[in-house]
Amino acid sequence: MKIDVLLGLQWGDEGKGKVVDVLTPNYDVIARFQGGPNAGHTLEFNDVKHVLHTIPSGIFREGVLNIIGNGVVMDPVIFKKEIDNLNKIGVNLEKTLLISKKAHLILPSHRILDAASEASKGKTKIGSTLKGIGPTYMDKTGRNGLRIGDVLSADFLEKYNFLKEKHENILENYKFEYDIAQYEKEWFEGIECIKQFQIIDSEIFINNLLQENLSILAEGAQGTLLDIDFGTYPYVTSSNTVTAGACTGLGVAPNKIGEVFGIFKAYCTRVGSGPFTTELFDQNGDKLTELGHEYGATTGRRRRCGWLDLPALKYSVMINGVTQLIMTKADILQHFDTFKVATAYKIGNEIVDYLPYDITIPLEPIYKEFKSWKTDISKLKSNDEFPQELKEYIEFIEKETGVPITIVSVGPNRNETVLR
Ligand code: GDP
Ligand code: IMO
Ligand code: MG
């Protein structure tokens, strides 16, 4: 059996959580492969909204295992809060959630370093979620990190203090005030919570499952344009959010990858700093924010909104080897008379249809305008019922990207999903 991957093609928040939840009944296992609590994945069913940060989005379906893979970075404090909240609503994961020994730990001092680094950058700040993601991955690649497997070792506290002191020395160079004590207490409570779960060699476990023909869906966090290598660097996150990240973040070989579901919004959003060519600063932008409820699931920050950026989408399709596209929030465009899609950019007098290396070059989007369908599509159940204008929009994107759109999401609820 091969492992399928679902990941974001824009700057995150494409609706990954919702669609993973919809697809979970087709799988035995859901596995997160990168990122950490910078993610906020929203699921809605039975009139309740759930937001997950570290925990995979397959947990609400019975009989499914969920794995936090080696590529993930975990904050024990946030993890414990997620577990406590789930326990309160009767969801107990001790038997069905497995954690890789090789996933890295976010320390309280990583969070402080993140905040100090951002504060020192002033206007050039990344707009990080301040969850300590960057400093933790820096310690991973710098070969200083603490891993989940370490919590079981006798000298864990010693290792913790060694790394914390290293961070305190770095923090002396920043003029940044901080108080670590309370957070540290919660952190060690979180470590005890983690110990109640099965801590495993997840790469071996996952490859054995594939050998036994069990089906696995790898759930991406963030999006391709936030990828550390291929995103709008330096305004990116610190992990590989692309399909290749599922190989390194779970320990599966490239020839084991099956379907790649690439998910995108029918328009575009971004939270945090960095270039956004199709960003709208007018009433249409405000309308997308308000009707789309475009406020971050992790930080509550207002998301910047704009029209779909086709050259960027094609780039993401290429980098990920997307085999099926999933379009979300199509229902938001029904509130407009017309909407636009950028098909290329103008740089001076030159027209280009790719993302240039230099993100400081101002790109002027060249737009194609579409007529909206102007009818409520949120209750529709099949492609045949779709209004003609929506069909035309879907077919246009399919033709441009060369990839079929197999799922159209028409609302936040798990039922508001059309399989084509
Ligand atoms: P993720 O990070 O990719 O999982 O996405 P988020 O959960 O951060 O943001 C997506 C938001 O859009 C959430 O509030 C979802 O409930 C909502 N959502 C997902 N799909 C749709 C859709 O098709 N229509 C509407 N109106 N909302 C959606
Ligand atoms: P999900 O999985 C949207 C953005 C931050 C910031 C940049 C770096 O919910 O789609 P970091 O905290 O990683 O150092 O922040 O990346 N960012 C996200 N934006 N969705 C996310 O996750 C994000 N995770 C990080 O806003 O611009
Ligand atoms: Mg999100």
Side-chain angles (χ1 to χ4, degrees):
M1 197 79 162
K2 298 207 169 185
I3 174 167
D4 296 342
V5 183
L6 184 146
L7 45 73
L9 300 179
Q10 296 162 324
W11 283 290
D13 303 329
E14 296 91 348
K16 297 175 290 293
K18 176 205 153 155
V19 177
V20 168
D21 171 59
V22 168
L23 294 177
T24 298
N26 303 337
Y27 292 92
D28 298 303
V29 180
I30 307 295
R32 275 278 305 268
F33 60 88
Q34 46 68 234
N38 48 349
H41 294 182
T42 315
L43 295 76
E44 260 186 67
F45 53 89
N46 301 340
D47 296 326
V48 184
K49 184 165 141 178
H50 305 271
V51 181
L52 299 171
H53 301 287
T54 324
I55 297 175
S57 300
I59 54 162
F60 294 106
R61 305 284 195 171
E62 284 206 7
V64 175
L65 281 182
N66 287 270
I67 299 177
I68 297 176
N70 58 279
V72 174
V73 292
M74 276 182 83
D75 183 331
V77 178
I78 296 175
F79 176 73
K80 182 173 183 298
K81 277 192 189 138
E82 289 190 77
I83 292 295
D84 288 348
N85 286 336
L86 289 164
N87 283 343
K88 272 186 216 149
I89 55 166
V91 179
N92 190 301
L93 299 179
E94 275 169 32
K95 291 205 170 64
T96 54
L97 178 67
L98 312 169
I99 307 173
S100 170
K101 281 182 191 164
K102 295 192 172 81
H104 276 247
L105 280 166
I106 302 175
L107 270 58
S109 43
H110 281 132
R111 284 187 69 153
I112 295 165
L113 280 169
D114 205 1
S117 162
E118 281 285 79
S120 75
K121 283 187 169 151
K123 274 211 307 225
T124 60
K125 73 171 184 187
I126 308 292
S128 154
T129 59
L130 303 178
K131 303 293 176 201
I133 305 295
T136 306
Y137 278 115
M138 279 164 74
D139 271 338
K140 175 179 177 176
T141 51
R143 296 155 298 177
N144 302 312
L146 277 189
R147 299 185 292 174
I148 294 292
D150 293 327
V151 306
L152 305 172
S153 71
D155 59 351
F156 177 62
L157 191 60
E158 209 176 300
K159 283 179 175 159
Y160 170 84
N161 282 325
F162 184 79
L163 187 53
K164 181 181 122 177
E165 274 168 35
K166 199 176 162 85
H167 294 159
E168 283 170 339
N169 289 335
I170 300 170
L171 281 162
E172 277 178 22
N173 297 321
Y174 290 103
K175 288 190 177 43
F176 191 79
E177 279 184 30
Y178 61 92
D179 176 13
I180 203 167
Q182 174 59 25
Y183 195 65
E184 214 169 25
K185 183 175 164 285
E186 288 176 35
W187 195 83
F188 281 102
E189 286 164 9
I191 293 291
E192 291 310 309
C193 173
I194 287 174
K195 282 185 188 166
Q196 286 163 26
F197 289 82
Q198 294 177 65
I199 298 176
I200 60 164
D201 291 302
S202 58
E203 66 280 25
I204 296 172
F205 186 81
I206 287 171
N207 279 285
N208 284 343
L209 294 177
L210 292 176
Q211 200 93 47
E212 290 163 20
N213 272 333
L214 291 184
S215 52
I216 306 179
L217 177 65
E219 172 181 1
Q222 290 79 56
T224 304
L225 304 176
L226 288 171
D227 179 89
I228 183 72
D229 281 279
F230 303 108
T232 44
Y233 193 90
Y235 299 100
V236 292
T237 190
S238 297
S239 66
N240 280 118
T241 61
V242 296
T243 306
C247 295
T248 57
L250 293 174
V252 292
N255 62 0
K256 294 269 166 59
I257 301 290
E259 292 296 322
V260 178
F261 298 102
I263 182 164
F264 68 101
K265 274 181 195 167
Y267 48 97
C268 232
T269 65
R270 170 163 210 169
V271 57
S273 325
F276 181 176
T277 306
T278 58
E279 183 169 10
L280 293 167
F281 300 96
D282 60 5
Q283 282 177 344
N284 283 333
D286 292 341
K287 206 166 149 182
L288 285 172
T289 304
E290 296 315 319
L291 295 171
H293 304 292
E294 297 295 356
Y295 294 90
T298 296
T299 58
R301 287 180 293 174
R302 183 187 167 100
R303 294 178 185 143
R304 301 154 63 192
C305 291
W307 301 127
L308 187 70
D309 183 337
L310 206 50
L313 187 68
K314 286 183 190 168
Y315 180 77
S316 297
V317 166
M318 173 186 82
I319 293 289
N320 291 301
V322 172
T323 60
Q324 299 187 38
L325 283 168
I326 299 170
M327 182 162 84
T328 59
K329 297 203 136 174
D331 53 305
I332 304 304
L333 294 181
Q334 74 204 17
H335 302 286
F336 292 79
D337 293 325
T338 59
F339 60 87
K340 292 179 184 174
V341 173
T343 54
Y345 317 123
K346 219 168 155 188
I347 306 176
N349 290 326
E350 203 191 341
I351 291 176
V352 299
D353 62 357
Y354 58 88
L355 286 169
Y357 167 80
D358 184 353
I359 60 160
T360 63
I361 298 175
L363 303 176
E364 190 190 321
I366 298 175
Y367 283 120
K368 178 176 164 63
E369 194 165 41
F370 287 80
K371 253 202 184 141
S372 176
W373 36 97
K374 302 275 292 168
T375 52
D376 182 16
I377 58 168
S378 64
K379 299 289 168 283
L380 303 185
K381 295 289 171 220
S382 79
N383 186 62
D384 293 343
E385 299 170 62
F386 279 170
Q388 188 55 30
E389 293 86 351
L390 174 57
K391 284 184 182 159
E392 279 167 22
Y393 188 43
I394 290 170
E395 281 159 20
F396 172 76
I397 296 168
E398 289 184 318
K399 188 160 164 281
E400 288 289 322
T401 56
V403 181
I405 298 181
T406 54
I407 300 175
V408 180
S409 174
V410 293
N413 196 284
R414 65 157 70 132
N415 301 325
E416 293 166 325
T417 313
V418 176
L419 308 180
R420 295 178 77 235

